Amino acid sequence: MKEELFVSGRNIPNIDPYLNIWHWQIPLYLFLGGLAAGVLFFAGYFVVRGKEKKMQATVKWAPIIAPIALVLGLGALFWDLKHKLYFWQLYTTIRLESPMGWGAWTLMIITPISFVWVASYMKEIFPWWDWKFKFLDKFEAFVIKYRVYLAWVMMIYSIILGVYTGILLSAFNARPLWNTSILGPLFLVSGFSTGLAATIWISKDEKERKILSRIDLIFIFVELFLIVHLFMGFLAGSETAIEAARLFLGGQFTVSFWVFVVLLGLIFPATLETLELWGYHVPKWLPSALILFGGFMFRFIMVEAGQITRYLY
Amino acid sequence: MRYAMAIDTKKCVGCGDCVVACQTENNVPHGYCRDWIVERVDGTYPSLDLEFRSERCNHCDNSPCVRCCPTGASHIEDGGIVLVEHNKCIGCGACIQSCPYDARYSHPEGYVDKCTFCIHRVKKGQNPACVEVCPTKCLHFGDLDDPNSDVSLAIKDRKWKVLAPEAGTKPQLYFLT
Ligand code: SF4
Ligand code: SF4
């Protein structure tokens, strides 16, 4: 038998009996960040590949989601801060060792890029659009001229953003569930998949949807592979890692993880997308909605469960 | 200089005086604490092993809480004492997530707070409040670099352990066993 008890003093709000300092705001922030990263990456990708004409929704329409998602995500992060009035302190220091710090700076760069991207398509989307000021017209012409370069920068930053949503968690050595290097690529792939899902939902062009669905299927497949890899890594690891994995293998998160994330969020929509590619009729919004739901649940469960795992007690 | 603390688990009776002394000395908000006591029972009846540990922030040499802080509010003072500067802390909770000992809490006013080794007393040459009041004198504090300090003498001839060494934080609380 081994038993450890607090005999004195400890029942600190949000720390005991288990850590619960991050609630829905952080997973929402991570989800929206991944979604924006996915949308922006593929917009950039098809411009760089010169497929702008073929992929209208991906390049022009879907990116509108990105600045909205990023601003909402930052809003959720701000909401979560306990000492809000000191928010600006994030930007008076550069701390490369802190994932939270470089995440804040990444958002500081990619958010304006996403606004500029969307703005440069405003006249194409809304023919009556008028910038009112001459210098804005000039700036727009400049952006359009060098759009391919902007696309490259956007692709690079969206990869950084996507990886960051996972690294934010994996850098916490103290939480065995998060402390694995797979989380970076896993969150990147999952974020890109949600971005694709949102784009498929928006697109009305049959051909474009088919291309996106094919790419999405690959991403879902890779994601499933990484999830298996994640658990294999835990089970081959230390006692604390094995205990972390047990939360999903018989423990309290088993049903929510395997049903909401893996079955409903990955396998079921992948099956629907495959059927659709084979020509069966599937409600258009359904696979996309499921992937988005699964993506959010994945982050929510990882953040909740990770806070329970620890070294001591 | 390297401030550290040694806790004699054989002498501690778990009275909780250190906890109350800290709460009073540091004006810790009601319902919170910077130090606490763990009672550990190990073994099978009738050969049971009992241990009392007075725990607090370990003022880790390799402190993840300082590394992950995006604003630099969490920092290391002279002598290796880990502190939080209240007016720089945004309350993001990253440091709370990074501490394997759950030694930090979010103060109701928003910033993050924890044990300071009573740096305000130490600067005046006094001991931390918990050390001062301990009725069994099981807490030893001082400079590890000074071979004659209370803490150096305490760990010299005794077996000791640190908590969760596998977390790699190089904690500076030495539990005499
Ligand atoms: S015990 Fe926790 S809060 Fe204290 S220095 Fe170590 S990691 Fe930081
Ligand atoms: S809560 Fe405060 S001290 Fe902790 S990491 Fe965030 S800013 Fe730094």
Side-chain angles (χ1 to χ4, degrees):
Chain A
M1 177 187 95
K2 183 167 175 175
E3 192 173 72
E4 294 204 344
L5 281 179
F6 290 128
V7 266
S8 148
R10 274 200 73 142
N11 197 4
I12 311 175
N14 296 327
I15 310 284
D16 300 312
Y18 64 86
L19 195 64
N20 191 21
I21 198 84
W22 285 350
H23 309 286
W24 55 268
Q25 294 92 337
I26 298 290
L28 182 66
Y29 164 65
L30 299 179
F31 169 73
L32 291 170
L35 174 69
V39 166
L40 292 178
F41 180 86
F42 290 103
Y45 174 77
F46 286 112
V47 166
V48 167
R49 295 271 318 269
K51 298 264 168 66
E52 227 173 321
K53 292 264 138 37
K54 247 171 114 184
M55 309 297 287
Q56 297 269 345
T58 317
V59 171
K60 276 187 216 166
W61 288 91
I64 298 178
I65 300 172
I68 300 170
L70 290 171
V71 169
L72 285 178
L74 274 170
L77 177 67
F78 180 73
W79 181 303
D80 182 64
L81 297 181
K82 309 285 181 301
H83 223 197
K84 295 189 178 43
L85 293 180
Y86 293 79
F87 183 73
W88 51 274
Q89 294 274 9
L90 264 178
Y91 294 106
T92 52
T93 27
I94 296 187
R95 303 228 39 251
L96 288 180
E97 277 184 322
S98 164
M100 191 69 104
W102 66 262
W105 281 102
T106 304
L107 282 163
M108 195 66 161
I109 295 169
I110 198 160
T111 311
I113 291 181
S114 72
F115 272 101
V116 169
W117 185 271
V118 172
S120 77
Y121 282 105
M122 262 347 223
K123 280 189 187 152
E124 283 187 44
I125 297 176
F126 307 110
W128 42 265
W129 191 268
D130 179 12
W131 284 113
K132 296 260 182 353
F133 295 101
K134 231 195 159 79
F135 73 96
L136 284 178
D137 279 323
K138 272 196 188 143
F139 183 61
E140 184 196 36
F142 174 80
V143 173
I144 292 172
K145 190 167 165 209
Y146 294 104
R147 194 178 268 147
V148 177
Y149 298 101
L150 182 64
W152 274 109
V153 176
M154 199 163 83
M155 276 165 73
I156 292 167
Y157 268 95
S158 55
I159 293 175
I160 296 177
L161 176 64
V163 173
Y164 150 72
T165 59
I167 287 187
L168 175 70
L169 299 182
S170 72
F172 293 119
N173 181 15
R175 312 291 145 203
L177 180 69
W178 296 347
N179 191 217
T180 153
S181 51
I182 307 242
L183 235 49
L186 182 53
F187 274 57
L188 173 73
V189 171
S190 163
F192 276 20
S193 167
T194 53
L196 281 167
T199 311
I200 293 173
W201 196 337
I202 287 173
S203 172
K204 292 196 179 71
D205 174 2
E206 208 56 49
K207 273 198 201 129
E208 181 176 16
R209 295 165 59 93
K210 263 200 175 144
I211 296 172
L212 296 172
S213 287
R214 281 211 192 95
I215 304 177
D216 195 28
L217 278 172
I218 299 171
F219 275 85
I220 290 179
F221 183 74
V222 174
E223 197 177 336
L224 285 168
F225 170 78
L226 288 176
I227 287 175
V228 173
H229 202 7
L230 176 79
F231 283 105
M232 278 165 57
F234 281 137
L235 293 176
S238 64
E239 187 62 37
T240 48
I242 294 173
E243 212 157 279
R246 276 206 204 112
L247 283 175
F248 297 88
L249 305 170
Q252 72 188 91
F253 287 95
T254 311
V255 177
S256 49
F257 182 76
W258 295 103
V259 173
F260 292 136
V261 178
V262 177
L263 265 179
L264 284 182
L266 294 170
I267 295 178
F268 189 43
T271 316
L272 289 178
E273 279 186 350
T274 313
L275 287 175
E276 208 175 2
L277 286 178
W278 286 346
Y280 289 91
H281 182 72
V282 172
K284 281 196 174 125
W285 55 273
L286 189 59
S288 295
L290 285 170
I291 290 170
L292 290 167
F293 168 75
F296 177 70
M297 283 308 280
F298 176 51
R299 284 154 185 83
F300 188 72
I301 290 171
M302 286 305 280
V303 169
E304 285 284 309
Q307 297 185 88
I308 294 177
T309 60
R310 50 166 54 169
Y311 277 94
L312 289 174
Y313 320 123
Chain B
M1 222 162 35
R2 188 58 188 98
Y3 286 116
M5 196 181 278
I7 297 103
D8 194 335
T9 63
K10 292 278 188 270
K11 266 193 186 167
C12 178
V13 291
C15 66
D17 275 8
C18 49
V19 178
V20 179
C22 170
Q23 285 165 331
T24 322
E25 173 76 28
N26 296 299
N27 223 340
V28 178
H30 189 71
Y32 293 75
C33 62
R34 293 183 181 183
D35 57 351
W36 58 92
I37 292 166
V38 172
E39 174 187 335
R40 197 202 65 181
V41 184
D42 217 349
T44 345
Y45 182 82
S47 62
L48 289 170
D49 190 32
L50 176 70
E51 166 181 296
F52 282 106
R53 297 196 305 254
S54 172
E55 295 184 2
R56 56 195 55 52
C57 166
N58 287 260
H59 297 276
C60 307
D61 241 356
N62 179 21
S63 36
C65 53
V66 170
R67 263 179 284 129
C68 75
C69 175
T71 66
S74 283
H75 65 285
I76 302 180
E77 281 285 306
D78 296 340
I81 298 182
V82 175
L83 291 183
V84 183
E85 195 174 315
H86 299 167
N87 289 342
K88 266 188 159 183
C89 172
I90 57 175
C92 65
C95 56
I96 296 181
Q97 298 288 7
S98 78
C99 173
Y101 307 96
D102 287 353
R104 295 176 166 235
Y105 58 85
S106 175
H107 191 284
E109 278 169 29
Y111 53 82
V112 163
D113 207 11
K114 66 173 195 65
C115 160
T116 61
F117 265 171
C118 282
I119 192 165
H120 59 290
R121 292 173 59 94
V122 172
K123 273 189 182 155
K124 286 190 249 164
Q126 297 168 321
N127 270 329
C130 52
V131 176
E132 206 60 62
V133 300
C134 176
T136 64
K137 302 237 174 316
C138 74
L139 302 176
H140 305 269
F141 180 80
D143 178 9
L144 272 186
D145 291 342
D146 170 6
N148 292 316
S149 73
D150 206 9
V151 68
S152 303
L153 294 173
I155 61 174
K156 208 171 119 207
D157 312 306
R158 288 280 297 273
K159 264 202 197 146
W160 52 261
K161 65 173 180 191
V162 293
L163 298 180
E166 69 275 21
T169 58
K170 301 211 182 106
Q172 297 299 316
L173 290 191
Y174 297 86
F175 291 91
L176 308 175
T177 57

